[in-house]
Amino acid sequence: MAKKIAVLVGSLRKESYNRKIANELARISGDDLQLEIVEIGNLPFYNEDLEQSPPQEWLDFREKIKYSDGILVVSPEYNRTIPAALKNAIDVGSRPYGQSVWDGKPGAVVTSSVSAMGGLAANHHIRQAFVFVNVPLMQQPEAYIGSVHNIFQEDGKTLVERTEAYLKKFMDAYPNWVNKF
Ligand SMILES: Cc1cc2nc3c(=O)[nH]c(=O)nc-3n(C[C@H](O)[C@H](O)[C@H](O)COP(=O)(O)O)c2cc1C
């Protein structure tokens, strides 16, 4: 049976390149994986006081992550680090203490940027948070996509051949990583 992979997109904007990449990853991934974007834009900011009666959005999010077999993050870099919405989602999933829904889920990270650096800093800051919440992240291949505004065909949503081939290698390696856990 295909493994269910929760996909977190770090950008909330409608025309987000990262969301388009996430959609393309779903298209090019093999039958071993079933990718589903889990929305993070509706999650109230994490506040421990709310744990007495947690917002329904938190509960729904935790449930979706809990019943997934892996976590795939596709994110831009904001000011050399993780977009706040993504960090908030990581925090929401990590609590209440002792009940983190991330624990042990095999993950992978793709970052992109309009600059040439491909979100390198964000990629490694995501890794830093995931070390602590015990999401083992695939180390190789890595995926940094620079000049993200140039990786789509004229239809604005299909990857150009070169980027598709690059990400296909990444998505072909991920099931092996997921199956190790
Ligand atoms: C608040 C903000 C901060 C940004 N900081 C960075 C940055 O540190 N490094 C970078 O390469 N690009 C940065 N960018 C540019 C993003 O790479 C670019 O906006 C990208 O398209 C965002 O991804 P999206 O298309 O999925 O929304 C920033 C953009 C915003 C809105």
Side-chain angles (χ1 to χ4, degrees), residues 9-13 15-21 74-81 112-121 148-149:
V9 177
S11 168
L12 305 184
R13 73 183 185 100
E15 289 300 316
S16 158
Y17 293 125
N18 286 280
R19 181 171 286 267
K20 291 177 184 180
I21 293 169
V74 187
S75 182
E77 174 173 293
Y78 278 3
N79 298 313
R80 294 282 179 264
T81 186
S112 79
S113 164
V114 290
S115 83
M117 287 159 65
L120 174 76
V148 67
H149 49 295

Side-chain angles (χ1 to χ4, degrees), residues 116-154:
M117 287 159 65
L120 174 76
N123 193 302
H124 285 264
H125 288 185
I126 292 163
R127 290 173 185 276
Q128 183 175 334
F130 274 165
V131 166
F132 187 65
V133 297
N134 197 29
V135 171
L137 286 171
M138 184 165 76
Q139 295 177 7
Q140 294 293 340
E142 300 169 287
Y144 308 101
I145 302 174
S147 303
V148 67
H149 49 295
N150 291 332
I151 66 163
F152 297 98
Q153 297 184 26
E154 272 175 22

Side-chain angles (χ1 to χ4, degrees), residues 35-57:
L35 272 56
E36 189 195 335
I37 293 178
V38 176
E39 300 298 340
I40 61 172
N42 61 341
L43 297 173
F45 275 137
Y46 189 74
N47 175 347
E48 225 172 336
D49 293 343
L50 304 185
E51 289 293 5
Q52 283 154 11
S53 177
Q56 191 59 44
E57 293 91 339

Side-chain angles (χ1 to χ4, degrees), residues 1-5 30-34 67 69 175 178-179:
M1 215 165 77
K3 297 283 171 109
K4 280 176 64 169
I5 305 300
D31 295 341
D32 296 340
L33 302 181
Q34 185 195 332
Y67 290 104
D69 300 305
V178 171
N179 288 329

